[in-house]
Each structure stands twice: as structure tokens, then as C-alpha cells.
Amino acid sequence: MFDIIGTESQHNSGVYGKREIALVRGAGALVFDRDGREYIDCVGGQGSANVGHVHPAIVRAVSAQAGTLIACTEMFYNDRRAELVSRLAALTGMRRMFLSNSGAEAVETALKFARVATGRSGIVAALRSFHGRTFGALTATGNKKYHAGFEPLVPGFSHVPYNNLEKLAGAVTEQTAAVILEPVQGEGGVYPGTAEYLRGAQELCRQRGALLILDEIQTGYGRTGKLFAYQHHDLQPDILCLAKSMAGGLPMGATLLGERVGEIPIGSHGSTFGGNPVACAAALATLDVMEEQRLPERAAVLGGRLQAQLQAIESPLVREVRGLGLIAGVELKQKVAPCLAALAERGILALPAGMTVIRLLPPLVITEEQLERVVAALGEVLH
Ligand SMILES: *Cc1c(COP(=O)(O)O)cnc(C)c1O
């Protein structure tokens, strides 16, 4: 039989620390290897599979659009794209947006637009944050581990502790174009931002003429119990970055612009694949699924239950349980790699967030029974 793992390993760039599992099929919250072994997928495509794997509505929309028009750059208008942007505008109150193909691009776009629209160069980001791997997004990322070997980075960036308004106030000046924050820090270890902090950051930006960029690439599309996490705190970000689950698992990113963002000069940015009709069709179907299956509400209910069940696990290994909706972090007093391997043996795939946090990002369609199996397996592994 064709050696999937051996062949991929031979041709890898080497950047990914891969697990010895080859996935060939998915359905809802489940993924399967070639031998038909089933896993409950709490990696969830690193947060890109909120509607579940191979959702029939996504399959239908993608198939139909693929048979109609695949390539159509933004030099021209397109029916699917027009529908999508008007739908996103209605959901967020943000009129203008730039479509791209990934989270890093959505952040890169936000940083460029903040500079060009304000005429300022400073970007203030949080320590422990994650914003992507391209140079601007990487520089915004507040973790030296990701910077190593890639210096010099982009000038004009500074980092302050998360959930600390005083330190943020000390960093935002007349030179600050934007403050960029995640409403819940994901990769950094699952740290929810407090309402006081996020509202204070917004207020500070308004006072000092800076823009507030919210990176909802991981927290968006129902994950935290609202369609977007900023809705928990009645925030009005100036720039909103979306990607991951935006197009039902297909590559897509978006950078939405509020009223406080000035004019973006024509020709100052662009993307060949951005706004392509197949991704737009998938993104429209994703919004339909979110609404019809009430996935944000589902994430709120199941997430509340999950957090309580995780809190109830009695183990000397657990330091703290954190989360919001269906993003959960279990911080251990030791490295998580052996626990993740033990979970995989029990048919549960989960993510790390740093060295000591187990992170769960299940599809929001996960069943109650599947979620109970996840908690039971975690309980066993942590004993
Ligand atoms: C995943 C992620 C990104 C980067 O997205 P890519 O599509 O991998 O480039 C940026 N910000 C946050 C908060 C993320 O979780």
C-alpha cells in the first residue's frame, strides 16, 4: 500500500512537528485514518472546522460554484462575492472589507491599512499573542520562540502584558497607528481577555487616535458562544480580522474596516486569490449553517458544560482550566506532549497551546456524547 507518512516525510520542508497519523476522511466532529480508525477531532483543523468536517451544505455550495466560476480576481465584480460582503457588513456593521486567503494575510492587511490610514507607524501588541507567520504578523506575535532566526523583524512594534490596562496605556502614544489584540489568546495558552481590559483598550484607542484591531481568526465563527467574541463585551473594533472557520475549512481570510478607519488609497494592496468565488460560496454556506444550526448558541451551552466538567477533573497534574465557549485550555504542571499522545491512543485528537496547556477546539457540531467521551478520556489520562 502507498506509504503516506513515509512519502510526505521525505518531501516536507521540515517545519512541522507531525504526528504519526494519516487522516483520509472526515464527518462532523470525527476524522478517520486509512484503516478506518475513528478519532474525535478536538484539533478541529486548528479552529478551521467549526461547522464540522464535510458539512453537506459546504459540499453543495463548493461543488455548485466550482462548476460555475472558480477564478475571478477583484479586478471584476462577482455575484457570490457581492452576497458575502453584504452579509458580513450586515452582521458586523462594518461596511468596507478586504478578502484574502489566510489568517496571516488578514493580519498583514490590517497592519498595512492601519499605517496607511492613520499616517502613523507604531503598532502595540500583547505579549503571549499569536497573529501569524508572515513578517508583519510575526512581528506582532508576542512570543520570542516564533521570532528566533528570522530577525531583523519589522520596525515600529512594541509588546505589553495582556489583560493589563495600565501597561497598555503606557505604550499607546501619538505615534501609535493601532493596538492589535485577540479577545481570547489562543496559541498563547487560552487566556480570555477581561471585559474591563478589552473595553478599556477600545476607549484608550479612541482617546489617542489609534485604531483597535481585533484578531478573531480563532475566536470568530461561533467558537466562544457568540458569532464573534467581541459581541460578549459590546465592543466596536475598528478593524476585525477573520479567517480559519470563515469558509467551512477552505482557505479564506478577511479584514473588515469600521468607520474610524480613514481612506485606503487605490492600488495600495491586493491579492490574486482574495475574494475568489469558490471561497465566497463556502463562506456564505458557512454563515447559513451558523444560523440554521444555531452554532454560536450551541457553543455557549456545550462550552459551559465542558468548562464545568473540566474543572471537576481531580488531578494533581492540573494547574488551571480556562476558556470561553468551545475553546478550552487545561494548563498542566508538566509538558503536555505525553498527554496528547495518550489521548490519541484513546481516539481523541487535541492541541497544545505552548508547552503546558492542552487546548480543545472541537467542531461546534460535536455531539454531547462525543464531548463526554473527550472529558472521560482526559480524566483517565490526567490520573
Ligand atoms: C491561526 C491564527 C492566525 C494565523 O492564521 P493562518 O491562517 O495560519 O495564517 C492569526 N491569528 C490567530 C489568533 C490565529 O489563531
Side-chain angles (χ1 to χ4, degrees):
M1 213 173 5
F2 176 57
D3 178 9
I4 302 173
I5 294 177
T7 307
E8 259 201 59
S9 298
Q10 231 184 329
H11 299 290
N12 268 333
S13 65
V15 297
Y16 293 111
K18 290 163 93 90
R19 302 193 199 168
E20 296 283 305
I21 300 173
L23 300 176
V24 298
R25 191 164 69 80
L30 300 176
V31 286
F32 302 86
D33 71 12
R34 186 165 52 178
D35 304 323
R37 169 122 206 248
E38 164 189 310
Y39 296 91
I40 300 178
D41 182 17
C42 292
V43 170
Q46 316 238 32
S48 65
N50 288 10
V51 298
H53 293 284
V54 202
H55 194 293
I58 307 292
V59 174
R60 266 197 310 275
V62 168
S63 310
Q65 188 57 41
T68 306
L69 182 65
I70 297 177
C72 174
T73 73
E74 292 237 23
M75 185 187 295
F76 302 104
Y77 295 90
N78 173 261
D79 50 355
R80 290 289 94 77
R81 193 190 301 134
E83 283 177 66
L84 176 64
V85 292
S86 84
R87 191 103 170 251
L88 286 172
L91 286 167
T92 60
M94 295 165 114
R95 184 175 57 81
R96 295 169 294 165
M97 60 200 74
F98 182 90
L99 301 175
S100 56
N101 317 286
S102 68
E105 280 176 84
V107 168
E108 209 66 40
T109 302
L111 299 171
K112 284 182 74 180
F113 283 4
R115 280 187 172 175
V116 81
T118 61
R120 302 174 175 194
S121 62
I123 306 289
V124 179
L127 288 167
R128 225 172 42 201
S129 64
F130 183 84
H131 298 294
R133 309 284 199 152
T134 54
F135 269 108
L138 178 67
T139 308
T141 293
N143 186 336
K144 292 259 179 291
K145 184 182 86 182
Y146 297 104
H147 295 172
F150 298 111
E151 291 94 349
L153 300 178
V154 180
F157 286 65
S158 60
H159 292 92
V160 290
Y162 191 68
N163 270 340
N164 184 329
L165 209 45
E166 215 173 299
K167 289 273 166 57
L168 185 64
V172 179
T173 70
E174 267 73 70
Q175 279 311 305
T176 305
V179 172
I180 179 165
L181 296 171
E182 297 158 270
V184 178
Q185 289 190 317
E187 303 288 322
V190 189
Y191 290 92
T194 65
E196 185 202 13
Y197 176 65
L198 295 169
R199 287 203 197 115
Q202 174 172 294
E203 190 54 37
L204 192 67
C205 285
R206 290 185 181 177
Q207 283 166 6
R208 304 200 182 162
L211 300 172
L212 177 64
I213 303 171
L214 286 186
D215 178 346
E216 291 238 27
I217 291 163
Q218 192 158 147
T219 54
Y221 285 87
R223 173 60 57 193
T224 68
K226 300 271 188 192
L227 185 60
F228 302 115
Y230 75 81
Q231 295 165 335
H232 284 288
H233 312 301
D234 288 323
L235 300 171
Q236 254 194 320
D238 299 305
I239 304 184
L240 181 64
C241 297
L242 304 176
K244 292 219 161 95
S245 275
M246 174 171 196
L250 269 74
M252 187 173 213
T255 308
L256 281 66
L257 309 176
E259 290 304 324
R260 290 187 67 241
V261 181
E263 203 182 313
I264 307 300
I266 188 165
S268 63
H269 195 54
S271 163
T272 300
F273 287 124
N276 102 79
V278 177
C280 290
L284 279 164
T286 300
L287 288 173
D288 288 341
V289 171
M290 287 277 143
E291 285 167 18
E292 280 160 22
Q293 295 186 221
R294 301 173 61 84
L295 292 185
E297 292 86 344
R298 185 177 174 81
V301 173
L302 292 187
R305 214 173 293 162
L306 174 66
Q307 307 287 344
Q309 287 170 340
L310 293 176
Q311 296 283 358
I313 291 176
E314 280 182 32
S315 162
L317 300 181
V318 176
R319 190 183 301 281
E320 191 176 41
V321 173
R322 295 183 291 269
L324 186 63
L326 278 178
I327 177 170
V330 180
E331 180 168 352
L332 304 185
K333 295 172 186 163
Q334 60 174 50
K335 291 188 177 166
V336 294
C339 290
L340 295 178
L343 281 171
E345 276 168 28
R346 287 166 174 76
I348 312 289
L349 302 181
L351 278 165
M355 297 294 267
T356 60
V357 179
I358 298 174
R359 181 172 37 145
L360 305 177
L361 293 173
L364 311 185
V365 295
I366 191 168
T367 66
E368 289 173 45
E369 185 266 333
Q370 288 165 338
L371 208 50
E372 269 158 30
R373 272 158 62 196
V374 171
V375 174
L378 258 171
E380 266 176 52
V381 165
L382 294 175
H383 249 78

